[in-house]
Amino acid sequence: MRVVILGAGATGSLFGARLASAGHHVTLVGRPDHVHAIRSRGLRIVGTGPGTFSVDVAEDLQPARLADAVLLTVKSFDLAMAAEGLARSAPPRPTLLTQNGLGIETIAWGALARGGWFAPERTVVRAIHSVPATWVAPGIVRAAGAGEVVLPSPAAGEPEAPPVALFADLLRSGGFSVRTVGSFVEQVWRKAMVNAAINPVTALHGAPNGALLRPPLRAEALELLREAVAAAQADGMTIPEREAIAEFERIGRATADNRSSMLQDLERGRPTEVDALLGELVRRAERHGIDLPTMRRTISAIEARRSSSPPRPQG
Ligand code: KPL
């Protein structure tokens, strides 16, 4: 299959390497330094499933015109721009979204429609994933375990349903563990809650995900998780606190050696997903008259940290 991956950061590159090793023709669309490194030395994966993989690279969206499938793996804050650019460059293609956060598909549908795709909800599939990937340097990404991809159950007998089976088969062929669930919206909430607890605490303390399973950081993460449970409940998504904690522990263990995406963003002096994750929860809670003070403080702390650390050279 011809697969184009739009957003060749750590996650997109790891997906690309795994799919290339399964024999797919992969093109990574990314930043110039990464593209040049891969062009000259191949894409190197260290850690779990190491090797050097042969993928095509591009700095523009031309390859998407002939793609059988597109993985849109940019961060949530770049999603609207990337999706609109995709739709302006290529006819509708089966497209997978991998971003963290709530309401991601609505952002993508709107942007794809602005770019000219008709009824993008028929071609776009959203994934929730915990595939642990860390950026090492241009051309090099570390995989720290297997992780999991969750997709919505394919809608049986609906001719215009999005192409879930295509992505489930594609990802499984690359060795990913894929689960399809009927209660996908609830899964999105569960993952958003876990991200709201893990990402900022690891980012502020420079700690790997596994450090949050033990004192003293566990208490800090659980305070955020409790506020996320309150936001979910206010928004009509009843997820008991003990289930949220069990999910936090499950993902924390599965990605124990990983550095969260927010920690990596801060370390690289890049924008973070703090608004898409914590900001969105605060706004949703506020609509129901509920204040989330720990989240508000944490957002300020992340923003302060980001503005005090000058952007580092990319790599
Ligand atoms: O989604 C993640 C992220 O870092 O954004 C987890 C699952 C926490 C893995 O690090």
Side-chain angles (χ1 to χ4, degrees):
M1 214 178 243
R2 296 183 77 85
V3 182
V4 169
I5 301 186
L6 180 45
T11 302
S13 301
L14 181 58
F15 275 111
R18 299 291 188 242
L19 294 176
S21 75
H24 298 288
H25 182 279
V26 172
T27 304
L28 289 180
V29 182
R31 305 160 77 89
D33 52 356
H34 195 41
V35 162
H36 294 153
I38 295 173
R39 205 170 266 142
S40 51
R41 298 185 291 277
L43 171 60
R44 228 178 106 203
I45 301 296
V46 296
T48 311
T52 299
F53 300 90
S54 167
V55 295
D56 275 353
V57 279
E59 286 174 53
D60 63 40
L61 286 161
Q62 289 309 308
R65 297 168 65 170
L66 297 175
D68 300 307
V70 175
L71 269 55
L72 201 36
T73 54
V74 295
K75 288 283 169 58
S76 53
F77 44 79
D78 283 332
L79 177 61
M81 211 175 71
E84 190 170 336
L86 171 64
R88 291 196 190 286
S89 313
R93 304 271 128 217
T95 298
L96 187 77
L97 307 175
T98 62
Q99 291 70 29
N100 285 327
L102 301 165
I104 288 300
E105 47 282 80
T106 314
I107 295 171
W109 292 339
L112 290 165
R114 278 197 301 282
W117 282 14
F118 175 70
E121 60 283 1
R122 292 183 201 156
T123 43
V124 172
V125 175
R126 177 162 187 197
I128 302 294
H129 79 89
S130 55
V131 173
T134 303
W135 181 266
V136 177
I140 310 176
V141 166
R142 176 179 304 283
E148 181 190 50
V149 184
V150 180
L151 299 175
S153 285
E158 268 187 45
E160 303 204 323
V164 176
L166 178 144
F167 284 109
D169 292 347
L170 176 69
L171 294 169
R172 285 191 182 116
S173 75
F176 293 99
S177 149
V178 178
R179 193 159 53 97
T180 56
V181 296
S183 52
F184 189 70
V185 176
E186 190 184 312
Q187 287 298 320
V188 171
W189 265 100
R190 286 174 186 259
K191 176 74 190 323
M193 288 157 67
V194 169
N195 280 129
I198 291 184
N199 294 28
V201 180
T202 52
L204 290 170
H205 294 277
N209 296 354
L212 273 51
L213 299 169
R214 301 179 294 277
L217 299 188
R218 181 181 165 88
E220 231 174 278
L222 288 189
E223 205 172 320
L224 286 163
L225 191 66
R226 280 190 198 101
E227 287 196 353
V229 170
Q233 287 177 349
D235 218 47
M237 184 57 60
T238 310
I239 298 171
E241 190 177 303
R242 68 183 146 66
E243 286 184 23
I245 295 176
E247 189 77 358
F248 159 81
E249 286 172 343
R250 191 179 70 78
I251 294 184
R253 273 195 302 274
T255 63
D257 296 332
N258 198 49
R259 297 171 85 71
S260 76
S261 52
M262 197 176 288
L263 170 55
Q264 294 185 52
D265 285 336
L266 272 192
E267 285 177 336
R268 295 174 67 197
R270 302 185 59 185
T272 72
E273 293 187 317
V274 73
D275 184 64
L277 293 174
L278 281 68
E280 184 62 20
L281 289 173
V282 167
R283 286 188 288 275
R284 288 194 188 217
E286 266 169 6
R287 272 182 231 141
H288 303 284
I290 293 175
D291 183 33
L292 305 180
T294 308
M295 274 200 203
R296 282 192 292 99
R297 272 199 309 277
T298 308
I299 293 169
S300 305
I302 293 281
E303 282 166 353
R305 188 68 67 83
R306 167 151 157 73
S307 51
S308 69
S309 57
R312 295 186 190 176
Q314 290 308 311

